[in-house]
Amino acid sequence: MDNKYIKVVLSERTIQKRVKQLAKQITLDYAGKTPVIICMLKGAVYFFTDLVKNIDLPLTIEFARLSSYKNGTTSGDMELVADIKEKIEGKDVLIVEDIVDSGKTLAYFIDMLKKKNPASVKICAFLDKMERREVNIKSDYVGFDIDCGFVIGYGMDYAEKYRELPYLAEVLDPTKI
Ligand code: IMP
Ligand code: MG
């Protein structure tokens, strides 16, 4: 996409290299286990598929969808649009998220998961905006720590657009894209 109102911050190549490193680490850390890996729709979809393809474990994949950003970049109320189907009691659960911002989305979801008595719950986030955290949520695996503004691509959207970009870009002027 040729657009002067966005700036590429992570190339496709940089992303793919990092995702493989994360997958390798997860494979080592969960050796001997059969984790349930949950994709947080829609944003984590590309990260999730790239990640699980590179994890060498007998895993189960699941999908959940929570909605908090109603439109553009403003936060609204939390809603569980689609829940996981798999039983997770006694299982090791790894949540795969696109970006942890305030942390409210994951805090809400983890509370719900813990009621089902999993053996463990960990977080693997493609991006972490640590300085914007409002609740006590810490990612166990992080692709990249970022401190830039609103980002799009590699699954992430601005008002439901630009998810399909294979790279990550910062939105410089939201009124122009
Ligand atoms: P939180 O509940 O504030 O942590 O928000 C997390 C969710 O907000 C992520 O899963 C994204 O869907 C969305 N989000 C936060 N920052 C960005 C961004 O820079 N670009 C796209 N989506 C974002
Ligand atoms: Mg999301």
Side-chain angles (χ1 to χ4, degrees):
M1 190 168 84
D2 185 25
N3 189 327
K4 63 181 174 179
Y5 302 110
I6 67 166
K7 182 180 129 207
V8 177
V9 286
L10 294 172
S11 70
E12 185 173 5
R13 195 176 158 165
T14 304
I15 292 172
Q16 293 303 327
K17 195 172 153 205
R18 182 70 186 123
V19 171
K20 287 195 174 79
Q21 288 173 345
L22 286 173
K24 206 169 172 183
Q25 191 59 51
I26 291 166
T27 303
L28 289 173
D29 294 351
Y30 285 83
K33 296 181 173 167
T34 54
V36 177
I37 308 196
I38 304 175
C39 173
M40 300 303 285
L41 296 170
K42 301 176 188 173
V45 68
Y46 298 115
F47 175 47
F48 176 82
T49 52
D50 287 340
L51 186 75
V52 292
K53 277 188 284 183
N54 288 286
I55 297 176
D56 189 11
L57 292 169
L59 51 84
T60 306
I61 63 168
E62 262 295 347
F63 299 86
R65 185 164 170 210
L66 257 131
S67 197
S68 68
Y69 281 67
K70 300 290 182 204
N71 223 325
T73 63
T74 31
S75 177
D77 286 334
M78 213 74 70
E79 189 191 351
L80 186 66
V81 183
D83 198 2
I84 58 167
K85 293 276 179 284
E86 188 80 11
K87 295 243 183 319
I88 58 164
E89 186 168 351
K91 296 197 181 161
D92 296 293
V93 175
L94 181 63
I95 304 169
V96 178
E97 175 66 302
D98 53 355
I99 177 164
V100 189
D101 190 24
S102 72
K104 287 179 181 170
T105 306
L106 280 183
Y108 178 86
F109 189 56
I110 288 171
D111 265 2
M112 297 189 63
L113 287 181
K114 287 201 167 155
K115 288 181 188 139
K116 300 178 182 178
N117 297 317
S120 68
V121 178
K122 286 191 174 179
I123 299 166
C124 177
F126 176 60
L127 301 174
D128 201 330
K129 280 183 181 171
M130 198 59 203
E131 85 282 2
R132 284 178 48 92
R133 202 59 40 83
E134 290 174 36
V135 292
N136 185 23
I137 285 285
K138 206 182 163 305
S139 307
D140 301 277
Y141 303 93
V142 176
F144 302 90
D145 287 297
I146 55 160
D147 55 9
C148 62
F150 201 79
V151 287
I152 52 170
Y154 199 57
M156 278 153 279
D157 71 308
Y158 176 72
E160 289 302 328
K161 282 164 73 186
Y162 309 109
R163 292 190 195 273
E164 70 283 5
L165 301 177
Y167 50 81
L168 187 84
E170 182 178 358
V171 178
L172 301 177
D173 187 347
T175 64
K176 299 275 175 33
I177 66 165

